[in-house]
Amino acid sequence: MIPITSIISRETNNFPLLVAGPCGAESKGQVFETARLLSETKLVKLFRCGVWKPRSSPNSFDGAGEEALIWLKEIESQYSLLPCVEIATSQHLEKAYKMGITHYWIGARTSVNPFAVQELADSCKGLDVAVMIKNPVSPDLQLWYGNFERFAKVGTSRMAAVYRGFSTGKRQLYRYDPMWQMLIDFKQLYKEIPVFCDPSHLAGNREYVQEIAQKALFLNVDGLMIETHVNPAAALSDKTQQLSVSDFEQMINRLIIPSQKQIKSSRLEKYREEIDIVDNQIFELLSQRFEISKQIAVFKKENNIPILQIERWEEICKKRLSQAKGLGISAEFAEAFLKLLHEASIRKQEKTMMV
Ligand code: PEP
Ligand code: MN
């Protein structure tokens, strides 16, 4: 367990911490107007604004740079929003810190690089700063956690994780693969770290920001980081995913915010007991199935036939998928489950066949 405290010193009641602001600083007018409108909503604690943007192409707009730090400092005093910027190099950190900006995030492209993160952590030594660390672009939870350890070692304790999905090459509806189980695994492994979600980058499209934010809240995240722009259609980066401030406000008001209250209820207890009974039966049946599978392996060995019998596998899929349909079990789940089961059976049969 590494020592972690809240990212901001103010108490946050039941509401998730909201971090909002533009993808990048484009002009003084754009940054100020976005901040002014956001401050009017009274929803936002931290004002995010990328001053140096990590872009895929060197020809893309890459942020207004150092001069934007002055705008952010002015915004802090004028609108009482705490500015935070992305830092990717120790020069970024030094420039931002010198300007009095003490809240940062580490982007997904930096968080994948232990050398870069170590350099940032070393530069933060002895400074009173807060750091949000996005998940690395690749789905590697230990690598992500290692970043927190690097900062903890130099004495940074105000930290939070920001979940923004992964590059897995499996682009479906969203820009990145949500891999929600990874968020659950992270929370389970590293209970001490508060987790925020960045639905904007995960979605890559403003149409899905609300549903992703809602899914993340149902997984009990502690905060949301959302890209907002005074005029998204004219944004110089991440144009498709940024929300106007009024859309942002509407979206937040539509979200269901789960309560943090610990509820003790005999009704819930009873349901959980029922689930335990069913799970127990499922496991008993699985064990029976593996036993039969072993007997089949003995037969296959005696007759020297391959483990994989593709016609039989097809027959199993057909039967169960049609049963699943009738039972209201999704085809996606049934297929994934059958594959897992079949693969486990093959592994078991290999053991019997090889001795
Ligand atoms: C960002 O937040 O501006 C950003 C570049 O996000 P990510 O590192 O998650 O891609
Ligand atoms: Mn962005």
Side-chain angles (χ1 to χ4, degrees), residues 152-338:
K153 275 187 154 179
V154 300
T156 306
S157 65
R158 287 195 293 143
M159 290 193 272
V162 183
Y163 194 81
R164 45 77 81 209
F166 301 93
S167 294
T168 58
K170 262 201 298 172
R171 187 180 173 161
Q172 290 161 355
L173 196 56
Y174 308 145
R175 180 177 178 191
Y176 294 104
D177 192 338
M179 300 183 82
W180 291 114
Q181 184 58 43
M182 292 293 260
L183 173 50
I184 299 170
D185 291 347
F186 188 85
K187 280 172 80 84
Q188 187 187 354
L189 282 167
Y190 314 118
K191 291 189 179 65
E192 71 274 29
I193 303 181
V195 183
F196 301 169
C197 178
D198 169 353
S200 304
H201 288 88
L202 207 164
N205 182 330
R206 65 180 69 83
E207 212 182 301
Y208 305 124
V209 171
Q210 182 175 338
E211 67 179 45
I212 295 172
Q214 187 64 71
K215 286 180 188 194
L217 287 175
F218 285 144
L219 294 180
N220 213 10
V221 294
D222 308 285
L224 296 169
M225 179 190 271
I226 296 172
E227 283 192 343
T228 43
H229 192 284
V230 64
N231 179 11
L236 299 180
S237 59
D238 287 346
K239 189 199 204 94
T240 55
Q241 73 198 29
Q242 303 206 55
L243 294 172
S244 68
V245 176
S246 61
D247 284 351
F248 164 78
E249 193 173 11
Q250 233 179 55
M251 187 212 89
I252 298 296
N253 289 330
R254 282 202 205 113
L255 289 172
I256 302 164
I257 312 291
S259 156
Q260 295 301 306
K261 264 195 303 205
Q262 288 296 329
I263 296 181
K264 261 197 155 333
S265 133
S266 54
R267 197 169 123 215
L268 184 61
E269 279 307 309
K270 191 177 142 286
Y271 292 142
R272 286 182 169 165
E273 275 165 25
E274 283 172 20
I275 288 274
D276 283 347
I277 291 169
V278 175
D279 283 352
N280 181 59
Q281 288 169 348
I282 293 173
F283 273 72
E284 294 278 354
L285 286 171
L286 282 174
S287 157
Q288 266 182 47
R289 194 189 191 280
F290 286 133
E291 236 356 272
I292 302 170
S293 191
K294 226 158 100 188
Q295 300 311 314
I296 294 179
V298 173
F299 177 85
K300 286 177 179 168
K301 188 180 166 76
E302 282 166 10
N303 293 278
N304 191 27
I305 56 173
I307 298 177
L308 178 63
Q309 298 289 323
I310 204 80
E311 293 78 18
R312 172 62 181 147
W313 168 232
E314 275 173 351
E315 186 195 335
I316 290 177
C317 289
K318 212 166 138 202
K319 278 188 190 157
R320 284 322 125 213
L321 287 177
S322 123
Q323 183 191 14
K325 200 169 171 190
L327 291 172
I329 296 171
S330 82
E332 191 191 358
F333 172 78
E335 211 176 297
F337 177 72
L338 284 172

Side-chain angles (χ1 to χ4, degrees), residues 46-231:
L46 286 164
F47 182 69
R48 61 146 287 150
C49 184
V51 164
W52 303 281
K53 297 302 303 170
R55 304 307 303 276
S56 301
S57 162
N59 303 317
S60 300
F61 168 76
D62 64 355
E66 217 172 325
E67 117 176 87
L69 296 171
I70 309 170
W71 309 338
L72 292 177
K73 217 39 213 170
E74 281 177 43
I75 278 166
E76 180 172 5
S77 51
Q78 206 164 321
Y79 299 119
S80 40
L81 289 167
L82 254 174
C84 57
V85 297
E86 173 169 355
I87 51 166
T89 66
S90 47
Q91 289 93 314
H92 291 163
L93 181 267
E94 278 152 26
K95 284 175 181 163
Y97 188 77
K98 225 183 249 165
M99 200 56 73
I101 293 171
T102 53
H103 288 64
Y104 316 113
W105 81 86
I106 293 176
R109 286 160 196 80
T110 307
S111 115
V112 81
N113 181 346
F115 292 119
V117 175
Q118 189 58 54
E119 202 176 295
L120 288 169
D122 290 340
S123 309
C124 283
K125 193 173 180 165
L127 308 181
D128 183 16
V129 296
V131 186
M132 291 173 276
I133 308 179
K134 296 223 184 174
N135 64 257
V137 278
S138 50
D140 184 337
L141 297 187
Q142 279 84 18
L143 181 63
W144 192 9
Y145 183 67
N147 294 338
F148 292 92
E149 291 182 299
R150 288 173 201 282
F151 277 93
K153 275 187 154 179
V154 300
T156 306
S157 65
R158 287 195 293 143
M159 290 193 272
V162 183
Y163 194 81
R164 45 77 81 209
F166 301 93
S167 294
T168 58
K170 262 201 298 172
R171 187 180 173 161
Q172 290 161 355
L173 196 56
Y174 308 145
R175 180 177 178 191
Y176 294 104
D177 192 338
M179 300 183 82
W180 291 114
Q181 184 58 43
M182 292 293 260
L183 173 50
I184 299 170
D185 291 347
F186 188 85
K187 280 172 80 84
Q188 187 187 354
L189 282 167
Y190 314 118
K191 291 189 179 65
E192 71 274 29
I193 303 181
V195 183
F196 301 169
C197 178
D198 169 353
S200 304
H201 288 88
L202 207 164
N205 182 330
R206 65 180 69 83
E207 212 182 301
Y208 305 124
V209 171
Q210 182 175 338
E211 67 179 45
I212 295 172
Q214 187 64 71
K215 286 180 188 194
L217 287 175
F218 285 144
L219 294 180
N220 213 10
V221 294
D222 308 285
L224 296 169
M225 179 190 271
I226 296 172
E227 283 192 343
T228 43
H229 192 284
V230 64
N231 179 11

Side-chain angles (χ1 to χ4, degrees), residues 25-53:
E26 298 168 7
S27 66
K28 187 167 179 179
Q30 167 250 1
V31 176
F32 263 76
E33 199 46 18
T34 311
R36 185 184 68 79
L37 292 169
L38 278 174
S39 78
E40 281 176 4
T41 69
K42 299 197 171 24
L43 289 166
V44 175
K45 300 269 185 338
L46 286 164
F47 182 69
R48 61 146 287 150
C49 184
V51 164
W52 303 281
K53 297 302 303 170

